[in-house]
Amino acid sequence: MPVVPTYEDRGIRLDPGLNFRDNTHATPEMFGSQVGAGLARVGQGLTDLGGVVAEVEELDATNTAKDSSNTSMAAIRNLSYGENGYMNTTGRAAVEGLDGYLKKMGQVVEDGAKGLSPLAARKYRDAMAVATGSQMDEAYKHAMQQRKVWTGESAKERVAVFKANAVAQPENSSAMMENTVAMVAQYREIGALYGWPEGKVSAEGLGLVSSVFEDIAVKKAATDPGAAKTFIDDNAPMFTEEARKRLDATVGKAALDEETRLGALEFAGGTRKPGEASRSYLEEAAEAGAAPKAGPTLERALLLGRVTGDDADKVIRLDPNFSTNLAALLEDAPPQYRDDINIRIPDAEADGKGRTVDLTYRGKSLSVAPSQLLDWARRSVGRYGMLMPIGGTGGAVTAATDGIAVRAQRPSADAIDKHLAGIDDPRRREIAKQAIATSLDLESQQERERQWQAKATLWQQVEAGTPPDALPYTLRQAAGDQAMTVARNYIGKKQAGPIVSDDMLLADMRLFSAERPEDFALVDLNDYRDRLEASDLKALAETQAAIGRDGRKARDQGAELKDAFDMARTRLEQAGAILPGEEESDNHRRLLAEAQNAVYTGLADFRAKTPGVRPTPSDVRRMIDKYLLPYYEPQSDPRRDRPAAVKLADISPDLRRSIAGQLAMEYGRKPTDGEVAREYQAFMQSQSG
C-alpha cells in the first residue's frame, strides 16, 4: 500500500554559506538602520570626514544590496509563479521538479551577488536568506501535496490499465476476472489514500465492475448484438441498474434489430410455396371434372390462368424450368397490375424449345401498358433467369438460363408481404423489408454475374477459334442455351461472309439507349453478336461507356435522338409511307428503321462538326427528307418522255413547307412559289435520270 511522505521528511539544502536555516529572523541592521542615523548626522554638518565616509560606504552598500535583491526576487517570483513556474506544476512533475527549482533559485541568488562589494554582498546574502527561506517552505509544502496527487493519479491509471485488460479478454473469463479483482483492489487503495468512507469505496467499486461488463457488452454488440444480449442476461448480477437501462436502450435495441434482421434473412432463404393463383385454377379444373392427378404442375396452372386467347394447349409444351421462372415472375408482378399482365405463346414456340413468350397487357401488346409496368418488367426479368430482347413489339420474354433462377425458388412477393405484416413495430418492419430485399437482390446479382462471366469466357474462346460446341460442358451450361444459340448463329453467318447489321434491331437498340439509358448500360451486347456487325457493336459499347461516364449528358442526347426518331416516324406517316396507329408490316418497320438510322448517323456527324450545338428541327428534317420525297412524286404522263411541269398545287402541303423552309435557310428570305416548285421538279428529274 502506498505511503504518503510527511512534511518533516525534507532534506534539501542550499550550497554552503547559503543555508536559509542559519537565520530565520531579519533585523533592522541587515539593511543598515544605522544608515538613516548617519545621513542625519551628515546633514547636521559633522566635521568628522572619516566617519562620514564610512557611513556613506555603508549607505551605498545597502542600496546596491537592495537593487540586487529586488532583481533576484523578481527572478525567483518568475521561477515560482510565472509561465511554466514550479508552483504551477502538479503531480509527478512537481515532485520531480523540486530539485531543479531549488538549484535555479540558488543560482539566481549567486548571480545576484556577482560584482558586489564584500559589504554589499554580505548585506545582499543576509536579505536573500530571509526572502528565499519563506519561498523554500512553500516549495516543500507544494512538493509534499503533489506527491500525494501523484500517488493518486498513478493508482487511477493502474485502475484504468486493469480495466482495459479485463475488457480486452472477454473470452478468457479467468483473465478477465483476475484483472477485474486487481482493479477493485487498486481502487480501494485510492480510497484509503484519500480517506474515503467505506460505503463510498464499496459503491464505486461495484460501479467499476459494472463498467467492465458494460464495456464488454457494447464491444460485443458492435459485431454481434445477439451475443451481446446473451452476455448481458448471463451476467445480470454484475450490472448496476443504471447500466442495465443504458444497455437496454442501446444493446438491447440493437439485439432486437439484429434478431429481426436474422429472422428476415432466414425467411428470404426459404422456399417459394405455390401461389393462390395456381391453386384457384386447379380448384376450378377439379370442379369442372378434371382428374387431379392428370392436371398440370402448379407453375403451369398459374400460366394457364394467364394465357391470352386459345394458347392454353401450348402451355404444356413450354420448357419446364422456363415455366417455373415465368410463373414466379407473373406471381411477383406489382399487385395493381397482377391481374392485367398475361402471356401469348408464339406459334414457333409451341413446337420448338418452348423458351419464349410474349407478355401482354389486358390482352394487348405490352407496349400500351403503363410505364410503371414496363419499367418493372424490363428491370425484373433478369432476376428470374430471363431477358427481354430489344426490338420487336417489346413484350417478348425468353429464357436466359437453362435452370430455375434462384429468385424463382425464394418466397413470393405475397409471402414477403405477409411476413412483414406480422411485424408490429414499423421500424423493425422496415429493417426486415430491407434485409429481405438485399438478400434476394444479392443472390440474383451473384447468379447473373456468374453467367456474364461464363458468357464472356465463351466469346473469348469462340473468337480464338474454338467451335461453340467444342467448349467444356460446364462452360456451355453456365453460359446458357440462349448464349450458345447466338454463338452458333454467329459462327455460321461469319463463315458465309461478314455479318451485316439488322437495320431494325440497330434502330431499336439506338432508340432503347435514348429512352432508357440506365437500362441500356446493363444490356449484354454479346446477346446480339449474330445480328449486328462489329463496328455497330463497338459504337453501342461506346454509348454504354458514355452513359457510365456522364449519365446526365447521355440523357440529354438521348432526348434529342428520341425527338428526332419521333419526327422521322411522324413525317413518314404524313407522307403515307407508314400507317399511323396500325400494325406495321416488316417493310414499314424496315423503312422506319432506315430513316431512324440515317437520323442517328446525321446527328452523330452534326455533333462531331459542331460540338455543343443542339440541332434544330430543320437540321433533323434535312436528314429525313431524302426518304420522304419519293412518296410525294406525282404520277408521270406515260405519253411524255419527261416529267410534266410541276405546279405548286402538285406538292403536298407538308412537303411544300419543308422545301420552303430549307430554301429560306439557303436564301436568307422566304422563297417564291416558283422557286419551291422548281426545287421539287429538279429533285424529280434527278431521280428519273
Side-chain angles (χ1 to χ4, degrees):
M1 177 173 179
V3 176
V4 179
T6 62
Y7 174 67
E8 290 72 13
D9 184 26
R10 76 183 185 197
I12 299 176
R13 297 180 181 275
L14 293 177
D15 293 338
L18 191 59
N19 190 326
F20 295 147
R21 295 183 188 151
D22 291 344
N23 188 347
T24 59
H25 300 284
T27 65
E29 288 75 12
M30 286 181 177
F31 273 113
S33 61
Q34 69 272 29
V35 174
L39 286 173
R41 289 197 295 274
V42 171
Q44 293 173 2
L46 295 177
T47 59
D48 185 355
L49 184 58
V52 172
V53 171
E55 290 181 359
V56 170
E57 289 179 353
E58 179 79 15
L59 177 60
D60 290 345
T62 298
N63 288 336
T64 302
K66 282 184 177 181
D67 289 343
S68 292
S69 178
N70 290 339
T71 301
S72 297
M73 289 305 298
I76 291 173
R77 184 172 60 254
N78 187 60
L79 282 175
S80 303
Y81 301 102
E83 186 177 0
N84 300 322
Y86 171 74
M87 298 300 289
N88 296 328
T89 59
T90 60
R92 181 175 182 176
V95 174
E96 294 182 345
L98 178 61
D99 285 345
Y101 167 70
L102 295 177
K103 289 179 180 179
K104 289 179 181 178
M105 189 163 58
Q107 188 62 47
V108 168
V109 173
E110 289 300 316
D111 290 344
K114 292 179 180 179
L116 298 180
S117 66
L119 177 59
R122 178 177 59 78
K123 290 177 177 292
Y124 166 79
R125 289 185 183 279
D126 289 343
M128 290 304 298
V130 175
T132 56
S134 175
Q135 187 59 42
M136 288 253 328
D137 287 343
E138 292 301 318
Y140 282 124
K141 291 177 182 179
H142 182 68
M144 293 305 104
Q145 285 297 117
Q146 295 308 314
R147 182 171 279 108
K148 184 176 181 179
V149 172
W150 179 18
T151 303
E153 289 176 346
S154 297
K156 289 178 182 177
E157 290 178 2
R158 192 68 170 164
V159 167
V161 168
F162 284 133
K163 179 181 178 181
N165 289 344
V167 173
Q169 305 177 77
E171 308 306 327
N172 187 342
S173 58
S174 61
M176 188 265 287
M177 291 306 300
E178 285 176 5
N179 280 280
T180 302
V181 170
M183 174 193 70
V184 174
Q186 186 66 54
Y187 189 75
R188 296 189 70 85
E189 290 186 6
I190 297 174
L193 174 66
Y194 290 106
W196 292 342
E198 177 60 27
K200 171 183 172 67
V201 174
S202 297
E204 295 191 1
L206 291 176
L208 280 173
V209 173
S210 177
S211 70
V212 169
F213 282 80
E214 183 176 359
D215 287 355
I216 292 174
V218 172
K219 184 178 179 181
K220 285 179 175 289
T223 55
D224 191 346
K229 184 64 167 59
T230 301
F231 176 81
I232 294 170
D233 294 340
D234 291 346
N235 296 279
M238 310 305 291
F239 296 95
T240 62
E241 183 178 353
E242 292 77 10
R244 282 304 299 262
K245 289 180 180 179
R246 287 193 298 270
L247 291 172
D248 286 344
T250 55
V251 176
K253 182 180 178 181
L256 288 175
D257 292 349
E258 181 67 3
E259 181 181 353
T260 300
R261 189 184 72 85
L262 293 176
L265 291 177
E266 182 179 2
F267 170 81
T271 303
R272 179 181 293 257
K273 295 180 174 58
E276 294 295 331
S278 304
R279 290 197 293 271
S280 63
Y281 180 86
L282 291 178
E283 289 167 359
E284 292 175 5
E287 291 174 0
K293 291 185 179 180
T297 63
L298 290 171
E299 291 78 11
R300 287 198 172 114
L302 185 146
L303 297 180
L304 284 169
R306 299 292 186 87
V307 75
T308 299
D310 57 355
D311 287 351
D313 61 324
K314 302 175 184 177
V315 170
I316 199 68
R317 292 195 287 270
L318 291 177
D319 178 85
N321 291 341
F322 176 68
S323 297
T324 299
N325 291 334
L326 180 61
L329 173 73
L330 298 178
E331 190 177 19
D332 294 344
Q336 66 270 34
Y337 302 119
R338 200 168 291 167
D339 294 334
D340 297 325
I341 186 169
N342 301 298
I343 61 171
R344 180 185 294 123
I345 303 175
D347 292 337
E349 289 301 313
D351 300 320
K353 294 182 178 181
R355 293 164 62 91
T356 299
V357 299
D358 291 327
L359 297 182
T360 62
Y361 177 71
R362 295 180 179 177
K364 298 180 180 179
S365 169
L366 192 66
S367 60
V368 303
S371 60
Q372 295 91 334
L373 179 57
L374 289 171
D375 289 344
W376 169 82
R378 174 66 64 182
R379 295 172 182 175
S380 298
V381 292
R383 304 171 67 196
Y384 296 82
M386 298 177 287
L387 62 84
M388 295 184 72
I390 297 174
T393 60
V397 174
T398 188
T401 61
D402 297 339
I404 299 175
V406 66
R407 181 64 189 93
Q409 303 174 49
R410 298 293 180 242
S412 67
D414 274 345
I416 293 173
D417 290 341
K418 290 178 181 178
H419 177 82
L420 295 175
I423 303 175
D424 295 331
D425 185 345
R427 187 181 58 81
R428 292 178 58 206
R429 188 185 311 126
E430 184 62 26
I431 290 173
K433 180 180 179 180
Q434 292 182 9
I436 292 171
T438 300
S439 175
L440 296 177
D441 287 345
L442 180 61
E443 281 191 314
S444 295
Q445 181 65 23
Q446 291 173 340
E447 182 178 52
R448 281 180 286 178
E449 285 177 354
R450 288 192 295 270
Q451 185 184 29
W452 290 339
Q453 183 59 46
K455 289 164 70 175
T457 303
L458 179 149
W459 282 106
Q460 286 176 356
Q461 297 194 25
V462 167
E463 292 290 7
T466 304
D469 291 300
L471 295 171
Y473 172 74
T474 53
L475 178 60
R476 286 181 282 146
Q477 186 181 44
D481 185 70
Q482 189 265 348
M484 287 296 297
T485 299
V486 173
R488 294 187 189 103
N489 292 342
Y490 172 79
I491 293 300
K493 289 183 177 181
K494 199 171 181 181
Q495 289 174 344
I499 293 178
V500 178
S501 290
D502 181 329
D503 282 337
M504 288 189 289
L505 173 60
L506 184 59
D508 287 336
M509 295 281 276
R510 288 167 168 169
L511 181 60
F512 187 72
S513 72
E515 292 179 325
R516 309 175 67 94
E518 289 82 5
D519 291 338
F520 179 73
L522 301 176
V523 171
D524 188 348
L525 297 177
N526 285 324
D527 295 335
Y528 303 92
R529 292 183 69 158
D530 60 334
R531 299 172 63 193
L532 295 174
E533 58 192 71
S535 60
D536 289 329
L537 284 170
K538 181 180 179 181
L540 292 172
E542 290 173 351
T543 300
Q544 289 182 323
I547 294 170
R549 287 193 303 270
D550 190 343
R552 181 176 180 179
K553 181 178 179 181
R555 286 191 293 272
D556 290 344
Q557 292 187 349
E560 289 180 5
L561 181 62
K562 175 67 167 56
D563 291 343
F565 275 22
D566 288 344
M567 183 184 293
R569 173 184 284 277
T570 299
R571 292 180 66 75
L572 285 172
E573 289 174 351
Q574 291 171 343
I578 60 176
L579 303 178
E582 294 186 13
E583 189 74 22
E584 297 173 356
S585 67
D586 286 345
N587 287 336
H588 287 168
R589 291 190 65 243
R590 187 171 291 106
L591 173 63
L592 177 61
E594 289 175 359
Q596 289 177 334
N597 285 330
V599 168
Y600 178 90
T601 302
L603 283 176
D605 293 341
F606 182 90
R607 289 170 183 153
K609 294 176 182 177
T610 56
V613 178
R614 187 181 182 91
T616 66
S618 296
D619 294 325
V620 177
R621 279 197 295 270
R622 281 197 296 273
M623 303 171 194
I624 302 171
D625 282 348
K626 65 179 180 179
Y627 292 92
L628 303 179
L629 291 176
Y631 294 92
Y632 288 106
E633 290 182 6
Q635 295 291 328
S636 60
D637 188 341
R639 293 170 298 177
R640 300 193 179 193
D641 295 332
R642 59 180 181 175
V646 175
K647 298 179 180 179
L648 191 65
D650 295 333
I651 310 173
S652 70
D654 186 70
L655 183 57
R656 190 187 315 155
R657 285 192 298 273
S658 177
I659 296 174
Q662 293 182 34
L663 291 177
M665 294 180 65
E666 293 178 13
Y667 298 161
R669 60 174 173 78
K670 181 179 179 180
T672 64
D673 292 346
E675 288 172 333
V676 173
R678 284 193 296 275
E679 177 71 17
Y680 180 62
Q681 185 167 15
F683 171 79
M684 289 172 52
Q685 291 173 348
S686 66
Q687 293 293 306
S688 61

